[in-house]
Amino acid sequence: MIHAADIREWRNRSVVDPKGHKIGVLEAVYVSTTTDEPAVATVRTGLPTHHQLVFVPLDEALLGPDYVKVSYAKALVKKAPSIGVDDILPAEAEEAIFKHYDMTYQRGAGGERRLARR
């Protein structure tokens, strides 16, 4: 698991799947608003002239010397919900990320967002 103190250190590192296939480059980390622990990362993918940011959960993520290994296959991550490189994640789009990875989504007790960008 990536700890909150490590977030800045791992930006712009390669993100690889369990088999070591490069998915893209770590762009940003979103933390859980309930625990303040890293929950999801955005990964910059695509051609140099047309990048997008796809979301991947950081549960069971492992850190290597120059990469972050996630526990999801490259093909699944590439089909994940995405945003443009200059866009922000709308609150109403959070649930789609969790559903894509068959994870339970639950808003906070007061209806607040589940994810916050760091």
Side-chain angles (χ1 to χ4, degrees):
M1 170 57 84
I2 297 176
H3 298 287
D6 298 333
I7 291 173
R8 286 196 177 108
E9 180 180 336
W10 290 100
R11 282 196 69 214
N12 298 315
R13 301 291 177 141
S14 293
V15 176
V16 299
D17 74 1
K19 294 184 177 180
H21 299 121
K22 184 175 179 182
I23 299 169
V25 177
L26 189 109
E27 178 73 22
V29 173
Y30 287 75
V31 297
S32 167
T33 56
T34 57
T35 65
D36 203 36
E37 289 295 319
V40 176
T42 52
V43 180
R44 189 172 58 241
T45 64
L47 301 171
T49 58
H50 183 69
H51 284 130
Q52 65 178 2
L53 301 176
V54 295
F55 291 87
V56 62
L58 292 173
D59 57 324
E60 300 180 31
L62 299 172
L63 302 176
D66 59 351
Y67 63 86
V68 176
K69 184 183 285 187
V70 295
S71 58
Y72 299 92
K74 179 179 180 175
L76 180 64
V77 177
K78 292 280 190 163
K79 294 178 183 173
S82 64
I83 58 174
V85 292
D86 294 325
D87 296 338
I88 59 168
L89 174 64
E92 60 274 4
E94 288 183 348
E95 187 172 3
I97 297 166
F98 286 79
K99 283 187 176 184
H100 179 76
Y101 292 102
D102 292 324
M103 299 169 65
T104 303
Y105 178 78
Q106 186 175 12
R107 288 190 173 272
E112 65 272 359
R113 301 182 70 125
R114 173 94 182 261
L115 300 171
R117 184 178 170 160
R118 282 286 164 101

